[in-house]
Amino acid sequence: TGVIDIAVQPGNSSVVLAASWERVRRPLGSVFLHGNGSGIHRSDDGGESWAKLGPQHGLPDPEQLEDATGRARIGRIGLSFSRDFPDVVYALYTSGFTYHGLYRSNDGGMNWLDVDPGKSLASGAGSFSWFFGQVRTTPTDPDIVYALDVQLARSTNAGSSWSFTVGTHVDYHAMAFHPTDDQKIVA
């Protein structure tokens, strides 16, 4: 298990979120891309101490997602705070293979809500979403969110519905906003 993503709350470096990912990958292929060690951890003191968040905070319950071996089907998790609305943060969950869910917190990562309960984002995801696992929030509008996968997904209503971009590249691994014009992006 290691940390795959870290997000610091804009304007308050005491609040830090870290996404851990339990996986076993050998030279000839992946053995496990999910496990009980995967999850979101929160620090209120700049990383001196950490608490693992779970179903009591609105996040997936690892016990309800177990595979046949008893391993939780929680894989890579991507994190993104909103720059201008720093209490808003998104978490993109994968099952270790495919897209699992998108969660939003409006209180800096303490409490979460599944903003895509119908899993509509899955229609733009591949069978290897663990390879991407990235989410980005438009700096000036916390309701415009992007998910990176085989397609570039965009929601203008906080994850309730999605549009998909194809054709600019075979898949999407990274994304950045222009520093003064968030309508300009590089993906």
Side-chain angles (χ1 to χ4, degrees):
T1 301
V3 171
I4 189 67
D5 205 354
I6 294 177
V8 179
Q9 186 178 43
N12 183 5
S13 60
S14 294
V15 176
V16 183
L17 298 177
S20 59
W21 185 18
E22 181 178 336
R23 71 183 194 126
V24 177
R25 188 156 190 210
R26 305 215 190 284
L28 297 178
S30 299
V31 178
F32 293 107
L33 294 170
H34 61 277
N36 300 331
S38 298
I40 297 177
H41 308 263
R42 188 174 193 275
S43 175
D44 290 323
D45 56 14
E48 292 293 322
S49 61
W50 296 88
K52 188 172 183 181
L53 306 178
Q56 68 275 26
H57 301 97
L59 293 171
D61 185 347
E63 292 180 14
Q64 292 182 358
L65 300 172
E66 288 181 352
D67 64 12
T69 67
R71 298 171 64 87
R73 281 210 174 268
I74 297 177
R76 182 177 183 158
I77 302 166
L79 301 167
S80 179
F81 273 102
S82 172
R83 184 193 70 196
D84 290 357
F85 297 85
D87 287 334
V88 176
V89 59
Y90 287 89
L92 178 72
Y93 271 70
T94 68
S95 68
F97 299 99
T98 60
Y99 165 74
H100 173 72
L102 182 69
Y103 297 82
R104 175 178 164 149
S105 171
N106 294 313
D107 61 5
M110 280 302 297
N111 298 289
W112 298 81
L113 177 66
D114 183 350
V115 294
D116 186 19
K119 309 290 186 239
S120 62
L121 181 55
S123 64
S127 61
F128 56 108
S129 293
W130 62 269
F131 195 69
F132 313 99
Q134 297 291 310
V135 62
R136 295 291 178 265
T137 311
T138 302
T140 59
D141 188 339
D143 291 338
I144 300 176
V145 60
Y146 294 84
L148 287 68
D149 205 292
V150 173
Q151 298 181 53
L152 178 63
R154 180 177 188 253
S155 174
T156 59
N157 54 15
S160 294
S161 62
W162 297 89
S163 61
F164 301 96
T165 299
V166 295
T168 57
H169 193 266
V170 72
D171 52 31
Y172 299 87
H173 298 267
M175 181 178 183
F177 295 94
H178 187 280
T180 59
D181 182 358
D182 61 23
Q183 298 300 306
K184 296 178 183 176
I185 60 171
V186 176

